[in-house]
Amino acid sequence: MKTNARKLVQWLVALVLTFAVILPAVSVSAQDENVLRVQTEVEIASLDPNIATDGTSMEAIAAIQEGLMTRDTEGNFVEAAADSYETNEDETVYTFKLREDAVWSNGTPVTAHDFVFGWQRLVDPETAAEYSFILDTAGVNNAAAVTAGDVDKSELGIVAIDDYTLEVTLDRPTPYFLSLLAFTPLFPINQEFYESTNGQFATSPETTISNGAFILSGYTPAGATTDLTKNTDYYDVDNISLEGIRFQVIKDSQQSVLAYQTDQLDVTNITGEQVQLFSADPEFRSVEQGYMWFISPNQLSENIANQDLRLALGKAFDREVIATNVLKDGSLPAGYFVPQLLAEGPDGTDYREAAGRDLMVSNVEEAQAHLEAAKEALGVDTFEIGLLIEDTESSINVAQSLEAQIETNLPGVDIQIEQTPKKNRLDRMREGDFDLGLTRWGPDYADPTTYLQLLVTDSSYNDQRYSNEEFDAGYEAIQTGDLVLDQEARFDKMIEMEKLALSEGGVLPIYQAASAVLVKSNVDQIGFYTTGTPRIFKYAEKTAN
């Protein structure tokens, strides 16, 4: 590390001691030498693979469980619980042979029935899983009909032929199907164990079962620390180097850096000024992400239902200022909703290059014109608008910049920032209890529909309550209709749909995220990904210093 960086760290430590700022408690002992200590900015909200929706929870779930497929150390999708698979000629029927040496952490075999139960529970209307749509997205036969309550879950296109043979039937060829099998909502659930937890499944180590590389040894929902321990019964345990993983919630980046410098953490995120400070450090990494951060405007909120007001808000702030001056971590200003480097068109052109980057950009004059139109239509001269955010440092900083810019550029608009833990933010947005929500979405698979699905009228993730018949018809055409097999027309239709939604202020994009992290020099083989689970720690290695 450069000398000035070390001096600043020393000064910060002294400052913390002077003002008695106490770091989150993290016990460090000899047995922790091969435990990976990972800082997270938010709490792990759920360890139920059917219920978890955020990246942090999914990272923990991916460490203790696995699906039919997983990622290897090179990031390739390879068989996991599945030993092999074959398909019919048109790739609408997949037959998986499960490995017979995989067991749950209670000693019972992992079988095809566990996948049937997990998938049926995912789409069961009684579960009310927000990711229920993902099996329909994957093309699994009858998934949408089950979720809608039109047919029984037993009609879902998944059947256990025997204990170790699983057959999945799709209603259409789905190019990204196999990659989705490594995604946490599609993980198996042991029915007998699930039912034994009496409604408390995955809320404690005692009510959580593992078939992955680690088992849960310490956890309370939304707690500050989550501990995992190597699963000695895991079939591939010989290739698991770590003895355990500790997820530590530290929301303040200054505190997390101090914990990192005092060897309480092995991996931490950094933001703002810290990025410039550590950018030349050999332990610094800038990781491109597929996450898009945007404002979700709740169209069920009386004023936000006005399209001109939404567009005024979306054009009143400078995205470059937020990315460059506020975040300073390599994030990209985004006047678009579908990220770059996600998917390519039939001719190999990146979707973002083909669709353009300036679908919604800052333009103060246009923003003010939209505001005047909104005032006239609604018969008011002032607007008090709530902006719901989570209580992380980066969200707070971005929200404060949004507030300052919007209020400066839109006279009569008063932004009221409402700060809450992430779980509460998600719950409130799900319930429609907000005006504007500062939120993000990460791609589940490499296709623009992983974002466009959020804007379909009946989507379980349509927190903004956007609804447009033309958009819905387009989505149906590219997913199940006449454009499914016409790749050029499908690609063009997705571009058209994105432009339509942004022209109406369906969402107000802000930036495409990059993650600035510090990783100890003795740590290797952490998988960073732009789709699915953001980070995979399964094969991480930590050598002695």
Side-chain angles (χ1 to χ4, degrees):
M1 182 186 298
K2 296 189 295 185
T3 301
N4 63 340
R6 289 193 182 279
K7 287 182 177 180
L8 180 57
V9 169
Q10 292 169 356
W11 176 81
L12 289 172
V13 172
L15 182 65
V16 168
L17 294 175
T18 300
F19 290 96
V21 177
I22 301 174
L23 290 174
V26 182
S27 60
V28 179
S29 58
Q31 58 262 40
D32 290 324
E33 289 183 359
N34 200 24
V35 173
L36 187 70
R37 287 86 47 90
V38 180
Q39 176 255 355
T40 66
E41 296 178 333
V42 296
E43 300 84 358
I44 292 174
S46 175
L47 289 173
D48 184 333
N50 285 168
I51 301 302
T53 61
D54 64 289
T56 301
S57 296
M58 289 176 175
E59 288 175 357
I61 293 171
I64 62 174
Q65 291 189 239
E66 67 180 15
L68 294 166
M69 306 289 286
T70 189
R71 289 186 188 261
D72 62 16
T73 55
E74 302 299 319
N76 302 308
F77 291 100
V78 297
E79 292 86 349
D83 186 57
S84 63
Y85 67 90
E86 58 184 26
T87 71
N88 64 348
E89 186 174 350
D90 66 356
E91 298 187 351
T92 56
V93 178
Y94 285 76
T95 303
F96 297 91
K97 289 293 183 181
L98 272 59
R99 55 186 319 124
E100 298 187 18
D101 55 351
V103 296
W104 291 102
S105 50
N106 65 357
T108 60
V110 177
T111 70
H113 306 286
D114 299 323
F115 284 94
V116 173
F117 178 73
W119 289 22
Q120 288 182 352
R121 177 174 177 258
L122 178 62
V123 295
D124 189 337
E126 292 188 8
T127 305
E130 289 195 49
Y131 260 105
S132 59
F133 68 85
I134 201 70
L135 287 181
D136 179 52
T137 299
V140 178
N141 196 41
N142 283 332
V146 175
T147 303
D150 295 335
V151 302
D152 188 77
K153 61 186 177 182
S154 62
E155 299 298 315
L156 184 68
I158 182 171
V159 177
I161 304 300
D162 56 46
D163 285 352
Y164 295 102
T165 307
L166 183 70
E167 183 179 270
V168 178
T169 302
L170 309 183
D171 58 23
R172 62 187 183 276
T174 307
Y176 45 83
F177 174 69
L178 288 175
S179 68
L180 276 174
L181 301 181
F183 193 39
T184 57
L186 279 68
F187 284 5
I189 296 177
N190 182 274
Q191 182 175 1
E192 183 178 0
F193 181 86
Y194 171 81
E195 292 174 348
S196 74
T197 63
N198 298 315
Q200 299 301 308
F201 178 64
T203 58
S204 68
E206 295 74 26
T207 59
T208 303
I209 192 170
S210 304
N211 72 323
F214 299 88
I215 60 175
L216 186 68
S217 53
Y219 170 72
T220 56
T225 303
T226 299
D227 289 315
L228 313 182
T229 304
K230 181 189 287 188
N231 181 3
T232 56
D233 293 325
Y234 181 57
Y235 65 85
D236 197 27
V237 68
D238 290 344
N239 289 314
I240 305 303
S241 174
L242 296 175
E243 291 300 320
I245 303 171
R246 173 180 292 133
F247 294 97
Q248 177 71 46
V249 180
I250 307 178
K251 298 183 180 182
D252 181 83
S253 62
Q254 177 176 301
Q255 290 190 12
S256 65
V257 168
L258 290 171
Y260 181 87
Q261 290 297 323
T262 53
D263 291 326
Q264 297 179 66
L265 292 171
D266 301 303
V267 182
T268 186
N269 296 303
I270 59 175
T271 60
E273 300 295 338
Q274 295 170 337
V275 178
Q276 294 178 319
L277 177 65
F278 290 99
S279 60
D281 193 295
E283 295 182 346
F284 171 83
R285 294 187 62 177
S286 180
V287 181
E288 185 172 346
Q289 298 181 325
Y291 279 113
M292 293 297 301
W293 278 88
F294 56 96
I295 295 173
S296 178
N298 180 12
Q299 295 191 33
L300 293 186
S301 179
E302 183 177 1
N303 289 335
I304 307 303
N306 181 272
Q307 178 174 306
D308 277 304
L309 181 58
R310 296 195 304 271
L311 292 173
L313 294 167
K315 295 181 178 184
F317 60 88
D318 191 328
R319 292 159 173 82
E320 183 69 45
V321 167
I322 291 175
T324 304
N325 298 346
V326 177
L327 296 167
K328 305 178 183 179
D329 58 3
S331 293
L332 301 173
Y336 50 84
F337 189 48
V338 178
Q340 68 176 23
L341 302 180
L342 172 71
E344 295 181 348
D347 63 355
T349 302
D350 183 76
Y351 173 89
R352 191 70 272 144
E353 294 300 324
R357 296 177 178 276
D358 299 331
L359 307 188
M360 181 180 289
V361 296
S362 176
N363 187 309
V364 175
E365 289 186 4
E366 289 184 9
Q368 292 175 347
H370 282 297
L371 179 63
E372 291 306 313
K375 288 179 178 180
E376 182 177 351
L378 297 171
V380 296
D381 291 323
T382 61
F383 298 91
E384 184 175 296
I385 301 172
L387 175 59
L388 183 64
I389 70 169
E390 59 200 47
D391 57 352
T392 59
E393 184 177 0
S394 59
S395 288
I396 293 169
N397 291 341
V398 169
Q400 290 174 344
S401 179
L402 289 169
E403 176 189 31
Q405 292 191 65
I406 290 173
E407 290 184 349
T408 297
N409 294 328
L410 297 181
V413 174
D414 179 15
I415 299 295
Q416 297 288 319
I417 297 176
E418 303 176 68
Q419 182 179 317
T420 186
K422 181 174 182 177
K423 185 178 187 303
N424 292 347
R425 175 183 68 76
L426 292 172
D427 290 342
R428 285 185 57 182
M429 292 183 67
R430 197 173 298 126
E431 294 163 2
D433 180 22
F434 72 105
D435 294 327
L436 305 175
L438 178 59
T439 189
R440 72 175 186 176
W441 185 261
D444 302 327
Y445 52 92
D447 188 81
T449 54
T450 192
Y451 282 91
L452 298 177
Q453 66 187 351
L454 273 65
L455 297 167
V456 176
T457 297
D458 296 327
S459 170
S460 56
Y461 278 98
N462 189 347
D463 290 336
Q464 51 279 337
R465 279 70 176 177
Y466 174 76
S467 181
N468 181 291
E469 291 183 0
E470 182 182 348
F471 187 96
D472 292 346
Y475 190 82
E476 181 178 358
I478 64 174
Q479 287 294 83
T480 61
D482 56 358
L483 300 185
V484 171
L485 299 179
D486 187 339
Q487 291 304 305
E488 289 188 6
R490 182 177 185 272
F491 191 72
D492 291 341
K493 175 59 72 172
M494 290 189 290
I495 292 174
E496 178 185 319
M497 291 166 60
E498 181 188 17
K499 290 179 177 178
L500 171 63
L502 293 189
S503 73
E504 297 185 332
V507 292
L508 313 179
I510 307 173
Y511 66 94
Q512 181 173 346
S515 177
V517 297
L518 295 175
V519 181
K520 293 287 189 181
S521 58
N522 64 326
V523 172
D524 196 14
Q525 296 298 334
I526 297 175
F528 294 92
Y529 302 109
T530 58
T531 59
T533 306
R535 298 182 296 187
I536 302 284
F537 300 104
K538 175 179 177 180
Y539 293 116
E541 299 174 356
K542 181 180 176 182
T543 56
N545 283 315

